[in-house]
């Protein structure tokens, strides 16, 4: 008797169960996706009011654009300006970074629901049922598409007051960048046997896209020249980057709708490649298999194993923070000149960084921003404990003569020591880029560490007491990032800024060193870590 499965078309069998997996993926990400979307949307939608406060008149905005025309460093960092309207300045100021956040969200979603599932063994169990070979990949891409569609809808609706056409263009462009990196992550998930490597490869491509765009924008003044009718155009390097496609879409400045075809073509081609690769391998395998280790183990301690697992992340963050310090250090003098005559811009920098001078305020605000980003590193590093436990890799290790606290200590030393290391390297980068005040800048970077450790301590506490709630640590880190990033620009009340541990740090360089809040934050971090370790020692492990 011919069964329904054999009578069904081959394509439908390949996608059987997609709807169920899609609903499951959306349920699993019911917290993560809204948080990413909310942060991205708030960052974009808060910018028009900020820009109106900084540059309220057309003459002030035109003066800003003319200054940007001669500042190659800022073009490399943010991109060119194509018009003096509030909408165009919004797309210029946050477009690249909103696109990067959307790309990271998309690649995390796709890898989580494809290679992560295979690496943990859950995908093999699911595939034993009536689930098609390509169903999990389709569900992951549809989840990413839904997240990007919601982000595009919010951006379009929120910026419609600046121009409906420009808002739609900008929203679709952000969604396009997200889907380009979602399909790219889908390819990486087929090529590699490790979810960590798949995320790393896709993130490396994102970094290369940013560098290509920055190099192209710094090499030409095409954007601003076009805005004032003097000709010019974008560099070839800019067109090689999906981030460059977004800025060349010129939202709110005579939209180039045909650029959306580049996004559509890239998504379609990469999706076809990912589907072809998915159909040519076994579940759990890859086209670039993991290299086998030595026949005799060389790792003698739990700390050595933790370092082996996390050394790639530490290296990547270290290089990134050092280069960021070099870039921001090189921009310091130019930033001071750019906002010296704008009282409101100067006030925001001083609220973010201190009150002792514009240059010191800019340095302090950039150092503080890197401190906020370092909190993401410490959360990711701490949650590696949760990943090792839920994947089952911690269980055989703890079955040997390795105690829980000793096992956890190896990862926590890397998490907390690594956060101090990357802030130190950021300070060295500032010293290289700025070339002045090496000691004060290093001190300003290191004073961020206690606040970073408080965020890490909160992650340890959640993991130790309630491991199922451990991913909520990302929500804490993102909330702190949002308070520190958007709060000063929106002139948020002091009580809200004080919710962040970073709001209690002394504003260095320029301000005076205040030891009591630093010591209190360090004590709080130690208490949180101690509470988390006590919980880890007494609770049952996930098996």
């Amino acid at each position: 008797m011919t069964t329904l499965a054999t009578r069904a078309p081959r394509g439908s069998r390949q996608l059987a169960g997609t709807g169920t997996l899609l609903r499951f993926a959306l349920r699993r990400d019911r917290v993560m996706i809204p948080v990413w979307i909310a942060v991205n949307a708030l960052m974009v939608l808060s910018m028009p009011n900020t820009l109106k406060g900084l540059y309220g008149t057309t003459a002030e905005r035109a003066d800003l654009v003319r200054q940007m025309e001669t500042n190659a460093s800022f073009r490399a960092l943010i991109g060119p300006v194509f018009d003096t309207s509030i909408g165009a300045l919004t797309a210029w100021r946050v477009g690249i970074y909103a696109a990067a956040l959307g790309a990271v969200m998309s690649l995390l979603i796709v890898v989580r629901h494809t290679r992560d599932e295979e690496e943990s063994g859950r995908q093999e169990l699911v595939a034993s049922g009536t689930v098609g070979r390509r169903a999990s990949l389709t569900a992951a891409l549809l989840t990413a598409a839904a997240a990007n569609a919601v982000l595009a809808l919010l951006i379009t609706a929120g910026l419609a007051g600046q121009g409906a056409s420009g808002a739609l263009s900008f929203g679709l462009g952000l969604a396009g960048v997200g889907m380009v990196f979602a399909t790219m992550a889908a390819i990486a998930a087929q090529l590699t046997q490790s979810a960590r490597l798949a995320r790393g490869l896709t993130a490396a491509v994102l970094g290369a896209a940013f560098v290509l765009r920055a190099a192209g924008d710094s090499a030409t003044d095409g954007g601003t020249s076009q805005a004032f009718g003097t000709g010019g155009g974008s560099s070839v390097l800019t067109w090689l980057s999906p981030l460059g496609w977004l800025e060349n879409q010129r939202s709110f400045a005579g939209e180039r709708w045909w650029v959306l075809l580049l996004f559509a073509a890239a998504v379609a081609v990469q999706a076809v490649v990912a589907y072809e690769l998915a159909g040519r391998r076994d579940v759990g395998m890859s086209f670039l298999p993991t290299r086998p280790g030595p026949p005799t183990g060389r790792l003698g301690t739990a700390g050595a194993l933790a370092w082996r697992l996390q050394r790639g992340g530490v290296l990547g963050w270290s290089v990134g923070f050092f280069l960021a310090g070099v870039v921001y250090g090189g921009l310091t003098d130019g930033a001071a000149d750019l906002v010296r005559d704008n009282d409101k811009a100067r006030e925001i920098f001083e609220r973010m960084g201190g009150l002792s001078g514009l240059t010191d305020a800019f340095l302090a605000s950039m150092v503080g921003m890197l401190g906020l980003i370092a909190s993401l590193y410490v959360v990711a590093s701490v949650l590696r404990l949760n990943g090792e436990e839920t994947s089952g890799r911690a269980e055989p290790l703890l079955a040997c003569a390795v105690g829980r606290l000793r096992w956890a200590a190896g990862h926590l030393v890397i998490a907390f020591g690594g956060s101090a290391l990357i802030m130190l390297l950021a300070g060295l980068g500032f010293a290289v880029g700025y070339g002045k005040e090496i000691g004060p800048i290093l001190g300003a970077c290191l004073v961020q560490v206690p606040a970073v450790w408080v965020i890490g301590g909160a992650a340890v506490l959640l993991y130790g007491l309630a491991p199922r709630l451990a991913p909520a640590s990302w929500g804490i880190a993102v909330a702190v990032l949002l308070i520190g990033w958007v709060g000063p620009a929106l002139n948020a009340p002091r009580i809200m800024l004080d919710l962040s541990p970073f709001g209690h740090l002394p504003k260095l360089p320029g301000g005076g060193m205040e030891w009591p809040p630093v010591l209190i934050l360090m004590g709080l971090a130690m208490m949180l870590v101690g509470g988390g370790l006590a919980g880890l020692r007494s609770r049952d492990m996930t098996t």
Side-chain angles (χ1 to χ4, degrees):
M1 181 176 178
T2 304
T3 64
L4 179 62
T6 57
R7 292 199 305 268
R10 182 173 181 273
S12 62
R13 295 200 303 270
Q14 294 280 340
L15 300 179
T18 298
T20 302
L21 291 178
L22 174 61
R23 291 192 295 272
F24 179 60
L26 292 173
R27 186 179 185 279
R28 285 186 66 194
D29 291 343
R30 64 186 182 275
V31 174
M32 184 186 77
I33 290 179
V35 168
W36 277 96
I37 292 175
V39 170
N40 211 344
L42 285 173
M43 180 181 68
V44 174
L45 299 182
S46 66
M47 191 52 58
N49 286 334
T50 301
L51 290 170
K52 288 178 182 177
L54 294 173
Y55 308 100
T57 66
T58 303
E60 289 177 335
R61 296 194 292 270
D63 184 60
L64 169 67
V65 173
R66 290 190 182 92
Q67 292 182 60
M68 288 300 304
E69 189 173 21
T70 60
N71 196 321
S73 297
F74 267 91
R75 286 202 308 275
L77 185 64
I78 305 176
V81 191
F82 294 105
D83 195 74
T84 59
S85 67
I86 293 295
L89 290 179
T90 297
W92 159 71
R93 183 62 185 84
V94 296
I96 298 301
Y97 297 99
L101 281 178
V104 173
M105 174 188 72
S106 301
L107 72 89
L108 290 178
I109 291 172
V110 171
V111 174
R112 184 184 191 195
H113 295 295
T114 53
R115 179 52 65 181
D116 256 334
E117 292 295 287
E118 294 188 41
E119 192 174 3
S120 66
R122 290 188 293 265
Q123 182 60 33
E124 185 176 5
L125 181 63
V126 171
S128 64
T130 56
V131 174
R133 177 183 289 270
R134 296 183 174 89
S136 62
L137 176 59
T138 305
L141 290 176
L142 288 176
T143 303
N148 282 287
V150 172
L151 176 62
L153 181 62
L154 291 176
I155 297 300
T156 301
L159 295 181
Q162 309 300 326
S165 179
L168 178 61
S169 170
F170 191 46
L172 292 177
L174 291 178
V177 174
M179 288 310 299
V180 166
F181 284 93
T183 51
M184 193 176 297
I187 295 175
Q190 314 308 314
L191 294 177
T192 67
Q193 203 164 346
S194 164
R196 181 159 47 95
L197 183 56
R199 284 188 287 265
L201 288 175
T202 313
V205 175
L206 175 59
F210 187 91
V211 171
L212 284 173
R213 181 213 55 81
D217 288 341
S218 64
T220 178
D221 62 350
T224 51
S225 295
Q226 285 268 356
F228 286 95
T230 59
S234 297
S235 167
V236 174
L237 294 176
T238 305
W239 285 104
L240 293 177
S241 167
L243 299 178
W245 301 348
L246 176 65
E247 70 178 34
N248 276 299
Q249 204 172 318
R250 301 196 175 184
S251 301
F252 302 99
E255 293 76 17
R256 292 174 167 177
W257 295 101
W258 59 267
V259 177
L260 292 174
L261 297 177
L262 295 178
F263 292 114
V267 170
V269 170
Q270 292 182 155
V272 169
V273 172
Y275 274 94
E276 284 298 316
L277 294 176
R280 295 176 180 272
R281 66 175 180 86
D282 294 330
V283 174
M285 302 303 292
S286 65
F287 289 91
L288 300 175
T290 303
R291 185 179 63 181
T296 303
R298 300 175 183 175
L299 301 177
T301 65
L305 176 60
W307 170 248
R308 175 65 179 83
L309 294 173
Q310 298 211 44
R311 64 185 182 183
V314 174
L315 177 61
W317 281 87
S318 297
V319 173
F321 266 55
F322 177 78
L323 294 178
V326 172
V327 171
Y328 287 137
L331 293 175
T332 301
D333 289 331
D337 294 336
L338 193 63
V339 299
R340 191 180 304 279
D341 298 328
N342 190 304
D343 294 336
K344 294 180 180 179
R346 184 167 61 252
E347 180 183 348
I348 286 182
F349 271 113
E350 290 173 348
R351 281 172 58 82
M352 295 178 67
L355 302 171
S356 63
L358 189 55
T359 297
D360 284 342
F362 177 80
L363 285 170
S365 63
M366 294 300 101
V367 167
M369 192 62 62
L370 291 179
L372 292 169
I373 297 173
S375 64
L376 301 178
Y377 161 79
V378 76
V379 168
S381 187
V382 168
L383 291 187
R384 189 60 190 267
L385 287 167
N386 191 51
E388 292 295 298
E389 180 180 348
T390 55
S391 65
R393 291 189 292 266
E395 185 178 5
L397 182 64
L398 295 175
C400 302
V402 178
R404 296 186 185 187
L405 298 186
R406 182 182 169 194
W407 167 69
H411 289 276
L412 296 184
V413 167
I414 295 172
F416 289 87
S419 60
L421 174 63
I422 62 176
M423 290 307 301
L424 175 63
L425 291 173
L428 293 176
F430 271 102
V432 171
Y434 186 43
K436 308 173 187 177
E437 301 181 1
I438 297 178
I441 293 177
L442 286 176
C445 288
L446 292 178
V447 84
Q448 305 293 316
V449 173
V452 176
W453 285 357
V454 169
I455 306 301
V460 176
L461 184 67
L462 284 175
Y463 167 67
L465 296 179
R468 294 186 63 180
L469 298 178
S473 306
W474 287 112
I476 297 175
V478 170
V480 169
L481 180 64
L482 195 60
I483 291 173
W485 197 344
V486 180
L490 295 181
N491 200 23
R494 188 70 226 179
I495 189 173
M496 178 179 291
L497 299 179
D498 286 342
L499 294 175
S500 168
F502 292 90
H504 303 277
L505 294 173
K507 306 303 182 183
L508 302 176
M513 180 60 189
E514 301 174 9
W515 285 105
V518 172
L519 296 176
I520 290 173
L521 289 175
M522 292 183 69
L524 177 59
M526 293 174 63
M527 292 174 58
L528 292 172
V529 171
L533 292 178
L536 174 64
R537 189 176 182 180
S538 60
R539 69 171 173 82
D540 293 333
M541 298 293 289
T542 302
T543 59

